[in-house]
Amino acid sequence: MILAERAARLQAEAVAASAKAEAADAKAAEALISYLKLEIENLRRQIYGSRSERKARPLRFRGGLLFSSCFQFRLRGTSPDQHA
């Protein structure tokens, strides 16, 4: 009986760890997508110029937040390319 309970507990812990890892991967993928969208917008701005100053300010501010969150990949020892 004790072995069965231990096996059930270990299996439940494995399922929980797997779900947590999948959620982290999904969050990392969302951060990567946001970062790449920002990079595309910045490149378009370099090519075509700024469309309006009102839109440029929030993008710069938001870009700093997204840029810093993207470097969480490096803290985990992975790269954004691995999550693409």
Side-chain angles (χ1 to χ4, degrees), residues 1-14:
M1 190 64 146
I2 293 174
L3 291 177
E5 290 173 357
R6 182 181 289 173
R9 182 175 45 101
L10 289 175
Q11 185 177 9
E13 288 174 358

PDB file of all heavy atoms in Angstrom, residues 1-14:
ATOM      1  N   MET A   1       0.814  -1.190   0.000  1.00  0.00           N
ATOM      2  CA  MET A   1       0.000   0.000   0.000  1.00  0.00           C
ATOM      3  C   MET A   1       0.862   1.261   0.000  1.00  0.00           C
ATOM      4  O   MET A   1       0.571   2.203  -0.711  1.00  0.00           O
ATOM      5  CB  MET A   1      -0.908  -0.039   1.234  1.00  0.00           C
ATOM      6  CG  MET A   1      -1.954   1.020   1.213  1.00  0.00           C
ATOM      7  SD  MET A   1      -3.072   0.761  -0.156  1.00  0.00           S
ATOM      8  CE  MET A   1      -4.562   1.305   0.524  1.00  0.00           C
ATOM      9  N   ILE A   2       1.914   1.266   0.791  1.00  0.00           N
ATOM     10  CA  ILE A   2       2.786   2.437   0.861  1.00  0.00           C
ATOM     11  C   ILE A   2       3.495   2.646  -0.477  1.00  0.00           C
ATOM     12  O   ILE A   2       3.636   3.777  -0.943  1.00  0.00           O
ATOM     13  CB  ILE A   2       3.801   2.293   2.001  1.00  0.00           C
ATOM     14  CG1 ILE A   2       3.072   2.318   3.348  1.00  0.00           C
ATOM     15  CG2 ILE A   2       4.827   3.407   1.952  1.00  0.00           C
ATOM     16  CD1 ILE A   2       3.965   2.053   4.525  1.00  0.00           C
ATOM     17  N   LEU A   3       3.930   1.571  -1.123  1.00  0.00           N
ATOM     18  CA  LEU A   3       4.590   1.696  -2.423  1.00  0.00           C
ATOM     19  C   LEU A   3       3.639   2.240  -3.474  1.00  0.00           C
ATOM     20  O   LEU A   3       4.035   3.048  -4.317  1.00  0.00           O
ATOM     21  CB  LEU A   3       5.157   0.339  -2.860  1.00  0.00           C
ATOM     22  CG  LEU A   3       6.339  -0.180  -2.052  1.00  0.00           C
ATOM     23  CD1 LEU A   3       6.745  -1.563  -2.539  1.00  0.00           C
ATOM     24  CD2 LEU A   3       7.499   0.776  -2.144  1.00  0.00           C
ATOM     25  N   ALA A   4       2.393   1.843  -3.437  1.00  0.00           N
ATOM     26  CA  ALA A   4       1.404   2.335  -4.394  1.00  0.00           C
ATOM     27  C   ALA A   4       1.160   3.828  -4.188  1.00  0.00           C
ATOM     28  O   ALA A   4       1.053   4.600  -5.150  1.00  0.00           O
ATOM     29  CB  ALA A   4       0.099   1.555  -4.266  1.00  0.00           C
ATOM     30  N   GLU A   5       1.085   4.240  -2.927  1.00  0.00           N
ATOM     31  CA  GLU A   5       0.891   5.666  -2.628  1.00  0.00           C
ATOM     32  C   GLU A   5       2.098   6.481  -3.077  1.00  0.00           C
ATOM     33  O   GLU A   5       1.962   7.577  -3.625  1.00  0.00           O
ATOM     34  CB  GLU A   5       0.649   5.864  -1.134  1.00  0.00           C
ATOM     35  CG  GLU A   5      -0.685   5.333  -0.662  1.00  0.00           C
ATOM     36  CD  GLU A   5      -0.824   5.393   0.857  1.00  0.00           C
ATOM     37  OE1 GLU A   5       0.145   5.807   1.548  1.00  0.00           O
ATOM     38  OE2 GLU A   5      -1.891   5.017   1.340  1.00  0.00           O
ATOM     39  N   ARG A   6       3.286   5.947  -2.831  1.00  0.00           N
ATOM     40  CA  ARG A   6       4.506   6.636  -3.249  1.00  0.00           C
ATOM     41  C   ARG A   6       4.577   6.765  -4.768  1.00  0.00           C
ATOM     42  O   ARG A   6       4.923   7.815  -5.299  1.00  0.00           O
ATOM     43  CB  ARG A   6       5.744   5.894  -2.740  1.00  0.00           C
ATOM     44  CG  ARG A   6       7.036   6.614  -3.103  1.00  0.00           C
ATOM     45  CD  ARG A   6       8.236   5.872  -2.622  1.00  0.00           C
ATOM     46  NE  ARG A   6       8.304   5.984  -1.158  1.00  0.00           N
ATOM     47  CZ  ARG A   6       9.167   5.326  -0.407  1.00  0.00           C
ATOM     48  NH1 ARG A   6      10.015   4.485  -0.965  1.00  0.00           N
ATOM     49  NH2 ARG A   6       9.193   5.492   0.892  1.00  0.00           N
ATOM     50  N   ALA A   7       4.218   5.697  -5.473  1.00  0.00           N
ATOM     51  CA  ALA A   7       4.224   5.734  -6.941  1.00  0.00           C
ATOM     52  C   ALA A   7       3.212   6.745  -7.461  1.00  0.00           C
ATOM     53  O   ALA A   7       3.496   7.495  -8.403  1.00  0.00           O
ATOM     54  CB  ALA A   7       3.931   4.345  -7.498  1.00  0.00           C
ATOM     55  N   ALA A   8       2.035   6.772  -6.842  1.00  0.00           N
ATOM     56  CA  ALA A   8       1.002   7.730  -7.266  1.00  0.00           C
ATOM     57  C   ALA A   8       1.464   9.159  -7.016  1.00  0.00           C
ATOM     58  O   ALA A   8       1.250  10.054  -7.843  1.00  0.00           O
ATOM     59  CB  ALA A   8      -0.304   7.447  -6.538  1.00  0.00           C
ATOM     60  N   ARG A   9       2.110   9.391  -5.871  1.00  0.00           N
ATOM     61  CA  ARG A   9       2.598  10.735  -5.550  1.00  0.00           C
ATOM     62  C   ARG A   9       3.692  11.165  -6.523  1.00  0.00           C
ATOM     63  O   ARG A   9       3.715  12.293  -7.014  1.00  0.00           O
ATOM     64  CB  ARG A   9       3.127  10.780  -4.123  1.00  0.00           C
ATOM     65  CG  ARG A   9       3.618  12.161  -3.702  1.00  0.00           C
ATOM     66  CD  ARG A   9       4.015  12.198  -2.242  1.00  0.00           C
ATOM     67  NE  ARG A   9       4.809  11.053  -1.844  1.00  0.00           N
ATOM     68  CZ  ARG A   9       6.151  11.075  -1.693  1.00  0.00           C
ATOM     69  NH1 ARG A   9       6.812  12.180  -1.906  1.00  0.00           N
ATOM     70  NH2 ARG A   9       6.791   9.992  -1.318  1.00  0.00           N
ATOM     71  N   LEU A  10       4.615  10.265  -6.823  1.00  0.00           N
ATOM     72  CA  LEU A  10       5.682  10.584  -7.769  1.00  0.00           C
ATOM     73  C   LEU A  10       5.134  10.866  -9.163  1.00  0.00           C
ATOM     74  O   LEU A  10       5.596  11.774  -9.857  1.00  0.00           O
ATOM     75  CB  LEU A  10       6.701   9.440  -7.826  1.00  0.00           C
ATOM     76  CG  LEU A  10       7.587   9.286  -6.590  1.00  0.00           C
ATOM     77  CD1 LEU A  10       8.451   8.045  -6.720  1.00  0.00           C
ATOM     78  CD2 LEU A  10       8.431  10.521  -6.393  1.00  0.00           C
ATOM     79  N   GLN A  11       4.130  10.108  -9.563  1.00  0.00           N
ATOM     80  CA  GLN A  11       3.515  10.341 -10.868  1.00  0.00           C
ATOM     81  C   GLN A  11       2.811  11.701 -10.893  1.00  0.00           C
ATOM     82  O   GLN A  11       2.917  12.443 -11.867  1.00  0.00           O
ATOM     83  CB  GLN A  11       2.531   9.234 -11.210  1.00  0.00           C
ATOM     84  CG  GLN A  11       1.958   9.353 -12.596  1.00  0.00           C
ATOM     85  CD  GLN A  11       1.028   8.198 -12.951  1.00  0.00           C
ATOM     86  OE1 GLN A  11       0.695   7.388 -12.094  1.00  0.00           O
ATOM     87  NE2 GLN A  11       0.614   8.141 -14.188  1.00  0.00           N
ATOM     88  N   ALA A  12       2.110  12.042  -9.817  1.00  0.00           N
ATOM     89  CA  ALA A  12       1.433  13.339  -9.744  1.00  0.00           C
ATOM     90  C   ALA A  12       2.446  14.484  -9.773  1.00  0.00           C
ATOM     91  O   ALA A  12       2.223  15.509 -10.423  1.00  0.00           O
ATOM     92  CB  ALA A  12       0.582  13.407  -8.484  1.00  0.00           C
ATOM     93  N   GLU A  13       3.570  14.308  -9.077  1.00  0.00           N
ATOM     94  CA  GLU A  13       4.604  15.339  -9.090  1.00  0.00           C
ATOM     95  C   GLU A  13       5.213  15.487 -10.485  1.00  0.00           C
ATOM     96  O   GLU A  13       5.523  16.601 -10.917  1.00  0.00           O
ATOM     97  CB  GLU A  13       5.689  15.014  -8.074  1.00  0.00           C
ATOM     98  CG  GLU A  13       5.249  15.191  -6.638  1.00  0.00           C
ATOM     99  CD  GLU A  13       6.290  14.719  -5.637  1.00  0.00           C
ATOM    100  OE1 GLU A  13       7.350  14.204  -6.055  1.00  0.00           O
ATOM    101  OE2 GLU A  13       6.047  14.880  -4.430  1.00  0.00           O
ATOM    102  N   ALA A  14       5.383  14.380 -11.182  1.00  0.00           N
ATOM    103  CA  ALA A  14       5.923  14.439 -12.544  1.00  0.00           C
ATOM    104  C   ALA A  14       4.965  15.159 -13.482  1.00  0.00           C
ATOM    105  O   ALA A  14       5.388  15.967 -14.320  1.00  0.00           O
ATOM    106  CB  ALA A  14       6.210  13.035 -13.056  1.00  0.00           C
TER     107      ALA A  14
END
